[in-house]
Amino acid sequence: EVQLLESGGGFVQPGGSLRLSCAASGFTFSNYAMTWVRQAPGKGLEWVSGISSSGSSTYYADSVKGRFSISRDNSRNILYLQVSVLNTDDTAVYYCAKGLTGGYYYRIDSWGQGTLLTVSS
Amino acid sequence: QSALTQPASVSGPPGQSITISCTGTSSDVGGYNYVSWYQQHPGKAPKVIIYDVSYRPLGVSNRFSGSKSGNTASLTISGLQAEDEADYYCASYTSSTTYVFGTGTKVTAL
């Protein structure tokens, strides 16, 4: 059974940084593209970033480009999202999601339960 | 990248069929067969119910079906049930190599 467990969320001040993690199990992590999606309180879903199975290709939404960095450790089965220069608009539940294949991060088939990041002074 | 356009809400009596539209452009919905639909119950993580326009993952009820015509994708729920009450989001790959979600639709079984 595919399991995705996000962690690392919490409270951070505007301008601050944090690293979110997603521990994967139940599948061969290194064979699948991954993605991060966020959802602000009471709002809709927003795609944040995607990464290929090898980690060689990364993709970002305009709203986070230059501030967020996606990466993965295929030896430890962990997906990361380094978030920096945070502002209050970044407050959201951050979900990691598994792709159907190695190269297509946008063909999602499983989601984690999410981790809440709150940016506030 | 602007969000895809969905109706804010759709409702129908149990047993009826309803359809949710998802309108984009030739740079996203109309240009690729990578449209997915997600169901989200309150306080829960989203769940994929349709991918690649019309394919259902294993375990998803065949009451859910997807289609696309031009720049508009559609999700049909046949035989609406109380358990189908949830928020539904479409999403599509884009020509900018990004991924865009729809505005979301709240489905209510009257």
Side-chain angles (χ1 to χ4, degrees), chain B residues 11-77:
Chain B
S11 60
Q16 191 174 63
S17 294
I18 62 169
T19 297
I20 303 169
S21 61
C22 170
T23 301
T25 69
S26 58
S27 295
D28 39 64
V29 173
Y32 305 91
N33 287 326
Y34 294 126
V35 176
S36 294
W37 289 90
Y38 302 96
Q39 176 193 61
Q40 187 179 34
H41 287 104
K44 301 294 187 182
K47 170 189 173 183
V48 58
I49 55 174
I50 295 288
Y51 67 95
D52 294 358
V53 176
S54 60
Y55 291 86
R56 273 189 313 275
L58 287 175
V60 172
S61 171
N62 58 10
R63 296 186 299 103
F64 294 96
S65 62
S67 63
K68 189 183 83 168
S69 178
N71 297 336
T72 299
S74 299
L75 173 71
T76 297
I77 306 176

Side-chain angles (χ1 to χ4, degrees), chain A residues 9-99:
Chain A
F11 284 91
V12 63
Q13 292 188 331
S17 300
L18 209 61
R19 188 176 76 167
L20 307 181
S21 300
C22 172
S25 61
F27 64 102
T28 305
F29 181 69
S30 59
N31 286 352
Y32 295 90
M34 300 292 291
T35 193
W36 286 97
V37 175
R38 68 183 180 182
Q39 186 170 36
K43 302 297 184 181
L45 300 172
E46 179 188 14
W47 174 76
V48 173
S49 182
I51 188 169
S52 62
S53 57
S54 66
S56 61
S57 297
T58 58
Y59 310 87
Y60 298 94
D62 287 345
S63 59
V64 306
K65 197 173 295 183
R67 300 188 300 121
F68 290 13
S69 178
I70 190 172
S71 62
R72 61 193 297 161
D73 185 338
N74 284 347
S75 66
R76 300 178 62 199
N77 296 345
I78 301 177
L79 175 72
Y80 299 106
L81 186 68
Q82 178 71 43
V83 298
S84 60
V85 195
L86 289 165
N87 58 65
T88 54
D89 290 340
D90 296 316
T91 293
V93 173
Y94 285 74
Y95 295 101
C96 74
K98 170 185 168 293

Side-chain angles (χ1 to χ4, degrees), chain A residues 106-117:
Chain A
Y106 43 87
R107 301 173 77 205
I108 294 170
D109 69 353
S110 301
W111 294 69
Q113 290 305 303
T115 185
L116 176 61
L117 170 62

